Amino acid sequence: MLRRGWYLAQMLRNESRTLANLRNRQSRQLRSLLREAQARVPFYRDLYGARGIAPGSVNTLAGLQSLPIVDKAMLRAAGSATISLDAPADTVAINTSGSSGEPFRFPIDRHYDQWRKAQYLRPYLSAGQHLRDKVLRLTGRPIRQLPWFSNLGVLREWRIHSAAEPARIVEAWERVRPDVLQGWPSALRSLANHCIEAGRPLTPAPRLVFTDSELLLPDTRALLERGLGSSPIDIFGTFESDNIAYQCALRGGYHVAIDSVVLEIVRDGKPVAPGEDGELIVTVLRNRTTPFIRYNLKDIGRLSGEPCPCGSAFPLLAVVHGRTTDLVVLPDGRQCSPQGIFARMNNFADTVWHYQLRQAASGQFEFLIVPAKELSTLERQEIIDAVRPTLGDAQITLQIVDRIPADPSGKRRLFISQPPRVS
């Protein structure tokens, strides 16, 4: 806990450093990581050796781009070869949620475990959460009791399952009377819908609302502000990297935590200019037990060419578009993002509580709707018409359902290509 506090103090201090200072620190960490990985991790030693990359020949941010990009499938296939030969005996196991259909387990050392826990806390405290605030978190991994340090009145966090009935969440809120609400956008969307429909706002109103782990779309942001009384502050991260980019209190772009990661935006393996979309490639600087070097997150994003008005020197990720695997296949074989559909659903905030697009087959889609009220034939057609500009001549079936089940992880995806059974 003391080490975590020390790391957290360093991270908060880093937010006020100059970009030149941050880049120098990042470069030193990167050189050390690459040197250790190539010497002590069989996977990277063999991967780089097969491409004629000599140990120590890559030691700069620019040189990093000459290394091959890796992904989850490659690391899973390599098994224990991805683990450092110097890994300590008392490692901590990290398990991904498996919501992508590819669960992943890997060890980390305890020093890095404390770093990543500080890395997790930083965005919340940086945006205005206080150490003594009471937090209610909606999550797929609830715990039954508070950690020991909560008894001292710091980092007090109560957890409830993200799939819990909204009325139960409201009861928990009124019992605990938290200051801060955290959760996945889909879970908070259900809660906001309930508060609006029941005419029962959260009491007391949350001072801050944070979202993470799922794509936060404009219609969901507007709904949460309306139903929960606060526009959410969004945080972007993964199990492999933890929180790597986050909004500040201005709620604009996402500050890239360059004291913890190197983030690249590439298309066809080559870097793109600020303002252009590409795949997010991350190098985690502190994880030496199971290194992630040029790891493809399979997310699409875009860097901003402008700094944040808040004054932070951290580079700004303008937007995160979602998973590269979450692409719609059109009848002519082309692929595109479903984001155009989701953006237009903002027009139906008063009539639709939840929605999910499912690709049943090439050129065939099911659009599941949980309505806020009984929909007329005209209103149903308007929803299909909103989908049509993206899907073109595809067959679209609108289904009115009472609920859209969450994944086993507790998340409720907006688009899936392999639809589960609806009950």
Side-chain angles (χ1 to χ4, degrees):
M1 184 66 180
L2 290 177
R3 185 181 295 275
R4 188 188 317 176
W6 169 245
Y7 286 156
L8 181 59
Q10 289 183 50
M11 291 181 185
L12 293 174
R13 171 70 180 89
N14 288 343
E15 292 187 337
S16 61
R17 297 187 189 277
T18 66
L19 182 58
N21 183 281
L22 290 167
R23 288 297 189 196
N24 285 335
R25 292 167 177 267
Q26 186 187 53
S27 294
R28 289 198 299 270
Q29 285 287 337
L30 179 64
R31 284 195 295 271
S32 174
L33 169 69
L34 295 176
R35 183 173 60 249
E36 292 183 26
Q38 199 161 5
R40 301 185 177 108
V41 181
F43 171 77
Y44 290 105
R45 180 193 63 206
D46 296 343
L47 180 67
Y48 299 160
R51 288 163 173 76
I53 300 171
S57 62
V58 176
N59 53 23
T60 65
L61 291 171
L64 181 65
Q65 296 172 0
S66 68
L67 299 178
I69 294 173
V70 304
D71 59 26
K72 184 184 296 185
M74 293 171 65
L75 298 185
R76 290 177 72 197
S80 61
T82 62
I83 303 171
S84 172
L85 299 175
D86 291 342
D90 60 338
T91 57
V92 176
I94 302 297
N95 298 282
T96 67
S97 67
S99 60
S100 65
E102 296 182 329
F104 188 31
R105 179 184 177 95
F106 58 92
I108 62 173
D109 64 79
R110 294 193 176 275
H111 283 187
Y112 174 61
D113 184 49
Q114 292 302 306
W115 178 274
R116 70 188 294 275
K117 286 176 178 176
Q119 191 179 343
Y120 165 82
L121 287 170
R122 191 243 304 265
Y124 301 101
L125 300 181
S126 177
Q129 183 174 311
H130 305 146
L131 286 173
R132 298 185 65 84
D133 278 343
K134 291 193 289 186
V135 176
L136 182 66
R137 180 168 184 81
L138 277 57
T139 175
R141 300 182 177 186
I143 53 177
R144 292 188 176 275
Q145 61 184 28
L146 297 174
W148 64 268
F149 47 78
S150 292
N151 296 326
L152 303 178
V154 296
L155 299 178
R156 295 175 292 176
E157 182 179 288
W158 285 258
R159 296 188 178 191
I160 189 168
H161 202 284
S162 57
E165 289 296 325
R168 182 182 160 213
I169 297 173
V170 172
E171 291 172 1
W173 181 271
E174 293 177 347
R175 181 176 65 254
V176 175
R177 300 182 67 80
D179 308 285
V180 177
L181 179 63
Q182 300 174 2
W184 299 334
S186 60
L188 293 180
R189 186 181 179 101
S190 293
L191 178 60
N193 284 332
H194 173 81
C195 291
I196 295 170
E197 189 173 25
R200 184 183 179 184
L202 293 180
T203 306
R207 192 180 80 251
L208 291 168
V209 175
F210 291 94
T211 52
D212 58 40
S213 301
E214 293 177 343
L215 190 63
L216 177 65
L217 292 168
D219 71 308
T220 298
R221 178 182 289 279
L223 178 66
L224 299 191
E225 185 171 8
R226 176 184 167 203
L228 304 177
S230 179
S231 178
I233 298 172
D234 196 36
I235 299 168
F236 172 66
T238 70
F239 278 95
E240 297 91 331
S241 62
D242 219 274
N243 293 339
I244 59 176
Y246 52 94
Q247 292 183 318
C248 64
L250 297 181
R251 297 168 173 80
Y254 296 74
H255 296 247
V256 179
I258 59 174
D259 54 0
S260 298
V261 301
V262 177
L263 186 66
E264 304 171 67
I265 312 289
V266 308
R267 187 186 306 125
D268 299 325
K270 297 179 180 179
V272 300
E276 295 183 16
D277 290 347
E279 292 182 296
L280 273 57
I281 310 298
V282 68
T283 296
V284 180
L285 294 172
R286 299 269 180 162
N287 184 358
R288 307 302 173 87
T289 298
T290 309
F292 290 87
I293 301 173
R294 300 209 79 201
Y295 179 72
N296 193 337
L297 295 176
K298 301 295 179 74
D299 282 293
I300 300 173
R302 181 195 319 145
L303 282 173
S304 171
E306 301 295 329
C308 182
C310 76
S312 171
F314 281 4
L316 211 58
L317 188 64
V319 66
V320 179
H321 288 305
R323 308 287 293 178
T324 58
T325 52
D326 292 341
L327 294 176
V328 169
V329 180
L330 299 175
D332 60 6
R334 289 183 296 114
Q335 292 183 316
C336 71
S337 169
Q339 294 234 354
I341 296 171
F342 303 147
R344 285 187 287 273
M345 289 305 293
N346 193 40
N347 298 326
F348 302 95
D350 295 329
T351 56
V352 174
W353 282 153
H354 289 292
Y355 55 86
Q356 185 180 79
L357 180 67
R358 297 178 174 180
Q359 178 138 30
S362 177
Q364 297 181 21
F365 296 87
E366 299 171 349
F367 202 27
L368 275 60
I369 298 293
V370 179
K373 63 181 185 65
E374 186 173 351
L375 299 180
S376 67
T377 301
L378 177 60
E379 288 171 322
R380 296 184 187 211
Q381 186 59 48
E382 288 175 342
I383 292 173
I384 293 178
D385 291 342
V387 175
R388 183 65 65 190
T390 299
L391 300 184
D393 295 332
Q395 178 183 332
I396 306 168
T397 303
L398 189 69
Q399 292 191 30
I400 305 300
V401 297
D402 294 330
R403 59 184 292 270
I404 297 174
D407 292 344
S409 66
K411 298 180 182 179
R412 185 183 287 109
R413 288 181 288 168
L414 295 177
F415 171 73
I416 55 177
S417 58
Q418 297 294 328
R421 239 179 118 180
V422 181
S423 56

